[in-house]
């Protein structure tokens, strides 16, 4: 993008972020991509494109409208600092960051007469722990215990399978580019042979056939049970038939 438009877009995003709007670089990039599909010289098109992609809260609409009018002015017009100051005073407050109180070392003394009247403070410590599922996704089947193998089989049973579709030679009614003369003539009979609307056909898609070849020879003995369970779970989850063949050295 040539000129200073990209720089002004980045600067406008910083202004909105300073006013409390949730504007990040990703949304600015979406606006830059949208400029290829609108007429930039048309101010309403540019306004509504920026408003749609940069504002995600209803309460921010009024603040965005005022900031847009103040920022995107003609070069001959000068900025009035007082208007920006009034707009800044009405900016949305950011979410406060609540920090837990510091932990006190030791227990309260029983000799203190006021200790019985004080409310007990319950401190809940949250510690990030590892995910056992992530470990199982990367662990070798040969190194798993019986409990881990059972957990892996449960994970396989809940996998969401999605096989890509392929384009067939058959066509069906749709919004394709090929005319469907048979359906067009059939519809024209209702209007005395006059053709008012053309019917079209589009390619038909169907799931790809899936064929699995699995090695269950002696060297694969430690993986055979999990592999067969994997094939069985896939065959049960998919709607199209799955052909599975196993082979070994004998």
């Amino acid at each position: 993008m040539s000129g200073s438009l990209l720089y002004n877009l980045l600067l406008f995003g910083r202004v909105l972020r300073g006013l409390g709007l949730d504007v990040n670089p990703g949304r600015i990039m979406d606006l830059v991509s949208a400029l290829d599909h609108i007429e930039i010289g048309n101010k309403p098109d540019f306004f509504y494109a920026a408003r749609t992609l940069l504002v995600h809260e209803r309460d921010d609409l009024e603040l965005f409208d005022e900031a847009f009018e103040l920022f995107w002015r003609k070069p001959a017009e000068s900025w009035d600092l007082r208007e920006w100051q009034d707009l800044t005073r009405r900016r949305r407050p950011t979410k406060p960051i609540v920090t837990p109180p510091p932990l006190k070392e030791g227990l309260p003394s029983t000799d203190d007469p006021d200790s019985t009247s004080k409310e007990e403070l319950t401190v809940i410590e949250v510690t990030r722990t590892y995910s056992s599922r992530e470990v199982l996704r990367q662990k070798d089947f040969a190194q798993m215990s019986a409990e881990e193998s059972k957990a892996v089989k449960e994970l396989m049973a809940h996998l969401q399978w999605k096989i890509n579709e392929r384009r067939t030679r058959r066509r069906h009614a749709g919004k394709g580019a090929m005319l469907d003369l048979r359906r067009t003539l059939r519809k024209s009979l209702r209007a005395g042979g006059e053709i008012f609307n053309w019917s079209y056909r589009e390619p038909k898609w169907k799931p790809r056939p899936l064929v699995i070849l699995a090695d269950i020879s002696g060297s694969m003995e430690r993986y055979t049970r999990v592999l067969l369970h994997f094939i069985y779970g896939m065959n049960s989850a998919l709607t199209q038939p799955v052909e599975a063949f196993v082979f070994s050295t004998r």
Side-chain angles (χ1 to χ4, degrees):
M1 185 179 297
S2 59
S4 58
L5 179 59
L6 180 59
Y7 173 77
N8 290 332
L9 286 174
L10 296 175
L11 184 59
F12 182 57
R14 295 178 182 176
V15 170
L16 295 178
R17 190 171 183 85
L19 293 176
L21 275 70
D22 186 13
V23 178
N24 51 42
R27 293 175 179 172
I28 296 295
M29 293 301 297
D30 293 339
L31 178 59
V32 172
S33 301
L35 297 182
D36 296 334
H37 306 281
I38 65 172
E39 185 180 352
I40 303 180
N42 191 351
K43 188 175 180 179
D45 290 352
F46 176 69
F47 167 74
Y48 285 109
R51 195 183 195 216
T52 303
L53 296 174
L54 299 181
V55 182
H56 293 264
E57 295 289 341
R58 184 183 296 272
D59 298 336
D60 296 338
L61 292 176
E62 183 179 356
L63 195 62
F64 174 85
D65 296 345
E66 297 184 20
F68 185 90
E69 292 298 331
L70 290 177
F71 188 89
W72 298 101
R73 291 183 173 184
K74 295 181 179 180
E77 299 179 4
S78 59
W79 281 1
D80 190 353
L81 185 60
R82 290 174 297 180
E83 296 178 344
W84 283 105
Q85 290 176 349
D86 295 339
L87 188 64
T88 306
R89 293 191 188 100
R90 296 190 296 105
R91 68 180 180 179
R92 293 194 61 190
T94 57
K95 295 181 179 180
I97 301 176
V98 180
T99 56
L103 299 178
K104 297 182 180 180
E105 296 182 358
L107 298 176
S109 175
T110 55
D111 300 335
D112 188 3
D114 296 334
S115 60
T116 56
S117 61
K118 294 181 180 179
E119 297 182 357
E120 295 182 358
L121 178 62
T122 304
V123 179
I124 301 177
E125 182 179 358
V126 180
T127 306
R128 292 183 177 269
T129 58
Y130 76 98
S131 175
S132 58
R133 292 193 173 186
E134 291 297 330
V135 175
L136 293 178
R137 291 178 189 272
Q138 304 293 332
K139 193 170 185 179
D140 191 352
F141 291 142
Q143 300 177 357
M144 291 183 178
S145 61
E147 292 77 9
E148 292 176 339
S149 299
K150 183 179 179 181
V152 169
K153 292 179 181 179
E154 293 179 357
L155 287 175
M156 290 182 180
H158 294 85
L159 289 178
Q160 298 294 331
W161 295 98
K162 183 179 179 181
I163 304 298
N164 291 336
E165 296 182 340
R166 65 182 181 91
R167 179 176 176 177
T168 64
R169 295 183 180 181
R170 295 182 178 273
R171 297 178 181 270
H172 62 102
K175 299 180 180 180
M178 180 176 292
L179 285 174
D180 191 348
L181 296 179
R182 181 179 299 177
R183 294 181 65 248
T184 302
L185 294 177
R186 190 184 304 116
K187 289 183 179 180
S188 66
L189 297 177
R190 304 174 184 175
E194 295 291 339
I195 299 177
F196 293 100
N197 295 315
W198 293 95
S199 299
Y200 296 89
R201 294 187 299 170
E202 62 182 5
K204 189 175 182 180
W205 295 79
K206 61 183 299 185
R208 293 182 178 274
L210 188 60
V211 180
I212 302 177
L213 301 178
D215 181 10
I216 58 170
S217 57
S219 59
M220 298 291 294
E221 181 180 0
R222 61 187 67 178
Y223 307 105
T224 299
R225 291 185 177 273
V226 180
L227 184 59
L228 294 179
H229 189 84
F230 174 80
I231 298 173
Y232 177 78
M234 183 185 297
N235 189 22
S236 301
L238 294 177
T239 56
Q240 70 268 28
V242 179
E243 293 185 276
F245 301 91
V246 295
F247 65 92
S248 61
T249 54
R250 294 184 182 181

